[in-house]
Amino acid sequence: MAVDERMRVLMVSMSLQGHINPMFKLAKHLLSKGVHHVTIATTEDGRDHMLKNTKPSNITNNTNLNNSNNDSGMELVFFSDGLSLDFDRSDTESMVNTIREKGPKNLSTLITDLTKVHNYSCVIVNPFVPWAIDVAVEHGIPCALLWIQACAAYSIYYRYLKNINPFPNMDDLNEKVHLPGLPPFEVRDSPSFILPTTPCHFRLVMKELFEAMDKVNWVLGTSCYEIEEEIVNSMASLTPIYPVGPLVSPFLLGEKERSDISVDMWIPEDSCIEWLDTLPDSSVIYVSFGSLIALSQKQVDNIAVALKNSKKAFLWVIKPSNGESNHAPELPNEFLEETKERGLVVKWCPQEKVLMHPSVACFITHCGWNSTLETLVTGVPVIAWPFWTDQATNAMLMEKVFRNGVRAKYGEDGTANVEEIERCIKDVTEGPRAEEIKKRAMEMKELALRTLQEDGTSNNNINKFITDLIVGNPARA
Ligand code: UDP
């Protein structure tokens, strides 16, 4: 495909691991198809975090901060979220409200500077910076949304916030929701940003996003058509979503990495891959709750006892706390000593490489959408343990649509107890149920891998997006 060699794309994201990873992955696809350059604008606290928590050489080697003379075709640039760098961003209300107020001006100043030197064909935003849509429009640059959750979550938000379908009383978590393209599900499995119990500042993000949707020329999704076919079809007559995923690293799709560019908020402990190399196939339980979830002491204790009782090998990621008010819980006394022959606890791991490893038997996951996609393309069975935002929706998809795992049931204290974790581990690793789940996980893997091949649906959607950019007259549907 011939692409104007000056074609540049600007992406805007908060500096959160789960937000920035899919932007990077889309950038790599665009560059591999001839887009000349991708600039990723994110908040300055992300640069500060990376400088403190990863090796500075890692950042400069891999990401070429503020340096457009690199051969990767990608650069990271930064704007202020309006808060000082030492502000404790686990105060989400101040963080969300301040970036909403100060972010537009700061991003606009950055775009003014960038456009003095280059033209941009498009600004791609993700859902958590809805105000960036107006900034792009003010600068006269066409705007695309990269929806970084399941198409199912897009459909639920859209239908709820735009009053397309009747919803039950959302105060009652047991009520059933019936929507096109989805099996009936309980209110508790809706994305939490529409639930009345969710703090206002989070609900406002989605409300403002869907209000701004008419100014967006394209809605791309990190999912793929093959795994969410009915849901994607059900949105076609409303505001269609064009899946371009699974947006995971190329090596998960059997391709060679174009370069090793990545943005890690913590240094991945690569030694865990060598440790996995020493273990038999399908023998290790991998446990991780992503980059934001902070487990309670009770949850850590329950997982520790269940892992110890399982007698199986495990790799457990317990990442450092995100902010001052967010203390990391401690592992029970003696746990590390008692399990040292078969267990490894790390602060951060190269998750995609871990999931690709033949030793991994199953994944106890919080069901973040990136982690969900990574399990689908690697065929790893899951134990779904969702917390908030879209995670319960993803758990519902895993249980009822993908059927690639089991879901942990919570007791009255709102969490899974030891016996329940043990039951889940048994169900996904032993006996006929485990075989059935593994078979289904491998079927999902095959479907997901097909979609980015030459004639695959996601590949076609990316090509169409680039063609629209070349024509410079992007049509909405
Ligand atoms: N991740 C990683 N190492 C870890 C844990 C997570 O590289 O030890 C990556 C994971 O592969 C995924 C991202 O961090 O791409 C987490 O995104 P997700 O949407 O699953 O969850 P979030 O962190 O946004 O809650």
Side-chain angles (χ1 to χ4, degrees):
M1 176 183 296
V3 175
D4 181 334
E5 68 165 17
R6 288 164 304 164
M7 184 181 285
R8 287 174 175 263
V9 168
L10 176 66
M11 294 182 170
V12 185
S13 173
M14 304 268 281
S15 61
L16 297 172
Q17 190 77 64
H19 294 194
I20 219 158
N21 281 7
M23 305 301 274
F24 251 75
K25 281 155 191 168
L26 178 60
K28 285 186 193 179
H29 280 301
L30 297 180
L31 290 166
S32 74
K33 288 180 176 289
V35 167
H36 178 63
H37 196 274
V38 178
T39 303
I40 302 184
T42 188
T43 49
E44 284 169 357
D45 59 300
R47 173 173 53 188
D48 187 56
H49 182 94
M50 284 184 269
L51 287 168
K52 281 189 191 140
N53 294 287
T54 63
K55 294 182 206 122
S57 59
N58 188 30
I59 297 175
T60 45
N61 285 345
N62 287 344
T63 55
N64 298 293
L65 305 185
N66 278 327
N67 171 11
S68 50
N69 294 321
N70 65 71
D71 57 11
S72 70
M74 263 193 244
E75 67 178 327
L76 270 178
V77 293
F78 299 93
F79 61 95
S80 169
D81 62 4
L83 292 163
S84 64
L85 290 178
D86 58 2
F87 185 86
D88 181 359
R89 286 168 175 76
S90 58
D91 172 1
T92 56
E93 184 170 1
S94 301
M95 199 242 310
V96 171
N97 288 341
T98 309
I99 196 169
R100 208 169 139 253
E101 186 194 333
K102 308 269 174 67
K105 185 165 172 290
N106 296 343
L107 176 66
S108 181
T109 306
L110 176 66
I111 295 182
T112 302
D113 288 346
L114 292 170
T115 49
K116 278 179 192 154
V117 189
H118 299 294
N119 288 324
Y120 287 84
S121 304
C122 178
V123 174
I124 304 179
V125 304
N126 71 36
F128 299 93
V129 287
W131 43 266
I133 296 169
D134 277 333
V135 179
V137 171
E138 278 159 26
H139 283 265
I141 311 174
C143 189
L145 170 69
L146 177 63
W147 181 258
I148 59 173
Q149 301 182 344
C151 296
Y154 175 75
S155 167
I156 300 169
Y157 276 122
Y158 192 92
R159 292 170 186 282
Y160 179 78
L161 293 167
K162 294 214 170 260
N163 286 322
I164 308 283
N165 297 79
F167 277 72
N169 172 11
M170 300 302 270
D171 283 310
D172 183 348
L173 298 178
N174 298 318
E175 285 264 0
K176 282 268 189 275
V177 183
H178 297 267
L179 293 179
L182 280 169
F185 61 93
E186 289 173 2
V187 166
R188 74 178 79 254
D189 291 339
S190 306
S192 68
F193 283 19
I194 55 174
L195 295 182
T197 43
T198 294
C200 198
H201 59 281
F202 284 132
R203 281 188 283 136
L204 205 54
V205 173
M206 282 300 154
K207 188 171 168 287
E208 290 181 344
L209 174 73
F210 282 87
E211 279 167 7
M213 202 60 98
D214 292 344
K215 299 171 203 162
V216 165
N217 296 84
W218 306 267
V219 181
L220 309 175
T222 59
S223 186
C224 55
Y225 180 75
E226 283 74 0
I227 61 168
E228 291 199 274
E229 188 176 338
E230 286 181 42
I231 299 154
V232 175
N233 289 344
S234 76
M235 288 307 292
S237 60
L238 296 168
T239 291
I241 181 163
Y242 297 100
V244 293
L247 286 187
V248 294
S249 291
F251 73 88
L252 288 194
L253 305 164
E255 292 167 29
K256 228 175 129 269
E257 282 279 4
R258 186 173 180 276
S259 69
D260 66 346
I261 293 177
S262 63
V263 175
D264 288 306
M265 295 290 168
W266 296 274
I267 303 174
E269 294 183 39
D270 290 320
S271 57
C272 61
I273 300 297
E274 286 153 35
W275 180 79
L276 287 172
D277 285 344
T278 66
L279 295 162
D281 284 1
S282 298
S283 64
V284 180
I285 303 167
Y286 170 54
V287 189
S288 170
F289 293 87
S291 62
L292 295 171
I293 296 295
L295 294 183
S296 68
Q297 189 62 54
K298 179 89 191 140
Q299 288 163 333
V300 168
D301 292 349
N302 289 354
I303 295 169
V305 175
L307 288 176
K308 201 176 89 175
N309 293 348
S310 77
K311 311 263 189 299
K312 293 184 192 299
F314 63 86
L315 170 63
W316 187 357
V317 177
I318 305 185
K319 77 171 180 58
S321 62
N322 284 327
E324 283 154 28
S325 57
N326 193 358
H327 294 296
E330 288 180 10
L331 286 167
N333 288 342
E334 333 284 59
F335 172 74
L336 290 176
E337 186 55 31
E338 285 169 358
T339 57
K340 70 173 185 231
E341 302 297 332
R342 60 185 171 87
L344 184 64
V345 177
V346 297
K347 291 196 169 76
W348 192 250
C349 78
Q351 178 166 298
E352 291 182 316
K353 288 186 189 146
V354 166
L355 290 172
M356 272 291 265
H357 201 286
S359 298
V360 171
C362 66
F363 180 14
I364 302 184
T365 172
H366 71 309
C367 309
W369 182 243
N370 294 298
S371 296
T372 303
L373 278 178
E374 290 159 14
T375 64
L376 288 169
V377 295
T378 51
V380 173
V382 292
I383 295 170
W385 185 329
F387 286 71
W388 72 316
T389 173
D390 58 330
Q391 294 158 14
T393 311
N394 300 337
M396 179 271 288
L397 291 173
M398 288 175 175
E399 195 186 14
K400 297 184 177 171
V401 181
F402 308 149
R403 304 195 308 281
N404 61 334
V406 297
R407 181 172 182 171
K409 293 191 177 59
Y410 302 160
E412 275 174 14
D413 59 354
T415 197
N417 63 26
V418 174
E419 294 71 33
E420 174 61 4
I421 306 168
E422 287 176 354
R423 176 197 71 84
C424 289
I425 292 174
K426 206 155 181 284
D427 276 358
V428 292
T429 56
E430 293 169 26
R433 178 90 201 274
E435 275 168 34
E436 204 181 290
I437 289 170
K438 183 68 191 175
K439 184 165 168 271
R440 179 66 185 167
M442 295 310 284
E443 283 167 12
M444 295 308 291
K445 173 179 175 175
E446 220 170 276
L447 282 179
L449 290 183
R450 212 177 291 159
T451 182
L452 275 162
Q453 285 170 2
E454 197 49 35
D455 231 10
T457 50
S458 288
N459 196 50
N460 290 341
N461 283 340
I462 298 174
N463 288 342
K464 183 178 178 307
F465 175 61
I466 294 179
T467 306
D468 282 355
L469 291 183
I470 297 168
V471 173
N473 184 18
R476 183 61 184 279

